[in-house]
């Protein structure tokens, strides 16, 4: 990677404007690198290079050859996993062990989609006598990818890995708050032998480079992960040219714990699901709904676990790192201040470790009890290490609470009763349901996304991950042959 450069057409390019912006280390609040400040001209150059690759060296490869190149890229990610993890940890503030897991997931995404590239096929369809009808799956062409700052490597992997495997050429606009690891991945893509223009990365601000990408007439599909507000803007811009959009927006995911659950198994998972990445995870388990007869004892155990949590710089590798930015810390503080004004009780807080430098964007994990279901804290995504606990009396009330937000991304159900597991899994509104476990986003293989029914559309629509994502990066063509 070269400093303050985009990766366009297989080369490192200076920003058209000549302007740069600072990359900050959230653990210290200090700048550690310069990034190119992309604008519409950079995006246009990237889209043109992607189109040329799609119509040339990349688009004419066989599916098996594309798969081989993606396997090579996966191997290089694994080779450089330590460097990638260090960069991700410095850029996002997340503990090094989490960044290592993210690097491993990135390699796994490329492996999974490399293996799937030549297994994506259509069907033959029964039709009138004298015809043979078949469907084939074609790539969209040039796909745009707007990536957030919370999991740059993972979200890049799931979106770009699937798009490339399906045969698209990609233009990526990572988040201005965290994108350094992805520039390293661009260098690895070149080393792996991806033809110039198959993958392009333009860094910069959302309202500049991001908006230019979403509005570009040369883009054939946009996938966006981030806030519901920005997702709406992106969809509006894409609609100008009728460009299809996949939106992965956010959640207020419930963990529903019945009194018969295995608390020993549940406890560490309930804590990890909100503390991972300092709660800056769209699928964070940010609400814990507990059957009333078990509410007090489980809350006590949760409080004990929260009091043990330590927060510090990424390199200290504690339970929790800082938040991504001062803006995000203020957002989380606003939620906590409002909860305090509303008289919502704090059950426990974690501790700031002595190793945390002044100037870092730290916020300790907080467990709040008896959170009113209609409060802002129970309804809106905090995107910080804040867990809202509330009791329920029966299955019907648990479902009403679980489904009572504008989101529907992930849910956890904890019970030993098999019939209840199935009833709850069927009735809870979520794109993924975990029973007696919680995947915080789930595995590479598992389709993931919002369940936009009944007005709960704030989690977005479309599917990422698994084989299902490949379908989203293709267009089905029907060919009807009349042969008599
Ligand atoms: P955001 O939605 O503004 O940013 C996500 C991506 O969109 C970034 O790459 C950004 O540069 C880009 N972007 C911003 N404005 C754009 C525009 N006008 N056109 C095109 N692209 C644009 O998110 P944020 O401001 O970084 O965070 C705000 C809130 O979003 C967070 O507090 C959190 O609630 C939510 N969020 C959710 C996720 C998720 O995974 N679901 C990820 C990040 C943030």
């Amino acid at each position: 990677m070269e400093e303050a450069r985009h990766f366009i057409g297989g080369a490192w390019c200076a920003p058209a404007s000549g302007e740069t912006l600072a990359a900050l280390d959230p653990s210290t609040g200090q700048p550690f690198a310069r990034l190119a400040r992309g604008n519409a001209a950079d995006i246009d150059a990237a889209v043109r290079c992607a189109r040329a690759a799609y119509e040339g060296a990349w688009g004419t490869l066989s599916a098996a050859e594309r798969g081989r190149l993606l396997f090579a890229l996966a191997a290089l990610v694994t080779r450089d996993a330590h460097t990638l993890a260090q960069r991700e940890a410095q850029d996002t503030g997340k503990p090094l062990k989490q960044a290592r897991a993210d690097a491993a997931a990135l390699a796994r995404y490329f492996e999974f989609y490399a293996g799937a590239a030549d297994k994506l096929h259509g069907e033959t369809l029964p039709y009138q006598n004298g015809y043979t009808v078949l469907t084939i799956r074609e790539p969209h062409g040039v796909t745009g990818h707007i990536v957030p700052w919370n999991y740059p490597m993972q979200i890049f992997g799931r979106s770009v890995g699937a798009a490339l495997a399906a045969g698209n050429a990609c233009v990526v606009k990572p988040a201005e708050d965290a994108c350094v690891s992805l520039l390293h991945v661009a260098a690895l893509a070149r080393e792996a032998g991806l033809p110039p223009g198959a993958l392009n990365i333009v860094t910069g601000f959302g309202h500049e480079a991001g908006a230019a990408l979403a509005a570009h007439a040369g883009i054939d599909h946009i996938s966006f992960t981030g806030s519901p507000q920005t997702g709406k803007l992106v969809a509006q811009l894409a609609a100008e040219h009728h460009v299809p959009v996949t939106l992965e927006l956010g959640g207020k995911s419930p963990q529903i714990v019945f009194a018969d659950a295995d608390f020993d198994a549940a406890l560490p998972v309930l804590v990890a699901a909100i503390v991972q990445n300092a709660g800056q995870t769209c699928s964070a388990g940010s609400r814990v709904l507990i059957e009333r007869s078990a509410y007090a004892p489980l809350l006590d155990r949760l409080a004990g676990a929260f009091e043990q949590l330590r927060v510090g710089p990424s390199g200290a590798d504690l339970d929790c790192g800082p938040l991504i930015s001062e803006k995000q810390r203020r957002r989380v503080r606003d939620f906590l201040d409002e909860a305090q004004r509303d008289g919502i009780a704090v059950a426990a807080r974690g501790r700031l470790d002595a190793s945390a430098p002044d100037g870092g964007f730290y916020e300790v994990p907080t467990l709040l009890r008896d959170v009113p279901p209609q409060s802002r804290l129970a309804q809106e995504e905090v995107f910080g290490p804040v867990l809202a606990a509330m009791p329920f009396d029966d299955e019907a009330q648990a479902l009403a609470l679980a489904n009572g937000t504008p989101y529907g991304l992930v849910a956890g159900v904890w019970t030993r009763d098999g019939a209840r597991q199935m009833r709850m899994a069927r009735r809870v509104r979520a794109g993924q349901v975990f029973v007696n476990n919680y995947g915080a986003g789930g595995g590479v293989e598992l389709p993931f996304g919002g369940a936009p029914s009944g007005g709960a559309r704030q989690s977005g629509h479309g599917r990422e991950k698994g084989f299902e994502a490949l379908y989203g990066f293709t267009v089905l063509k029907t060919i009807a042959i009349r042969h008599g």
Side-chain angles (χ1 to χ4, degrees), residues 255-259 261-264 266-268 270 288-305 367 389 414:
Q255 299 250 34
I256 309 164
V257 189
F258 288 89
D262 179 346
F263 294 161
D264 291 340
L267 192 70
L270 296 176
V288 59
L289 319 180
I290 307 172
E291 193 168 6
R292 196 174 298 279
S293 61
Y295 187 65
L298 183 55
L299 206 62
D300 274 356
R301 291 185 64 177
L302 272 171
L367 172 65
W414 296 84

Side-chain angles (χ1 to χ4, degrees), residues 145-151 155 158 173-177 204-214 224-231 233-234 237 248-251 280-283 324-325 327-328 331-332 381-384 407 409 448 458-459:
H145 306 258
I146 299 178
V147 176
W149 41 259
N150 52 347
Y151 291 87
I155 292 171
R158 78 183 187 198
K173 208 303 281 175
E176 56 273 32
D177 286 312
F205 291 114
H207 64 280
E208 295 175 349
L213 181 59
F224 170 84
T225 304
S227 61
Q229 299 81 350
T230 308
L233 287 177
V234 166
L237 291 170
E248 201 274 274
L249 303 179
Q280 301 165 120
T281 305
C282 47
S283 53
I324 188 73
S325 61
K327 179 178 149 210
Q328 191 65 16
R331 178 186 156 92
V332 174
E381 187 174 46
V382 178
F383 232 58
Y407 296 95
L409 194 58
F448 174 72
Q458 299 288 314
S459 292

Side-chain angles (χ1 to χ4, degrees), residues 60 63 130 186 189-190 266 359 400 448 450 466:
T60 49
R190 186 162 71 173
F448 174 72

Side-chain angles (χ1 to χ4, degrees), residues 138-225:
E138 297 185 333
H140 289 285
V142 175
T143 51
H145 306 258
I146 299 178
V147 176
W149 41 259
N150 52 347
Y151 291 87
M153 286 195 286
Q154 287 218 38
I155 292 171
F156 174 92
R158 78 183 187 198
S159 168
V160 172
L164 287 173
N168 301 280
C170 303
V171 179
V172 181
K173 208 303 281 175
E176 56 273 32
D177 286 312
C179 60
V180 169
S181 60
L182 301 187
L183 294 169
H184 188 86
V185 178
L188 298 182
R190 186 162 71 173
E191 190 181 341
L194 258 75
L199 169 65
N200 307 274
I201 299 185
V202 175
T203 58
F205 291 114
H207 64 280
E208 295 175 349
L213 181 59
H216 201 290
I219 291 288
D220 300 310
H221 178 278
I222 282 272
S223 71
F224 170 84
T225 304

Side-chain angles (χ1 to χ4, degrees), residues 406-409 429-431 449-463:
Y407 296 95
L409 194 58
R429 193 174 52 212
S453 69
R457 301 196 187 91
Q458 299 288 314
S459 292
H461 51 76
R463 285 292 172 270

Side-chain angles (χ1 to χ4, degrees), residues 4 6 8 13-19 36-45 202-203:
H6 304 303
I8 298 176
C13 305
S17 67
E19 291 182 49
R37 180 171 173 174
N39 63 16
D42 300 306
I43 289 289
D44 189 55
V202 175
T203 58

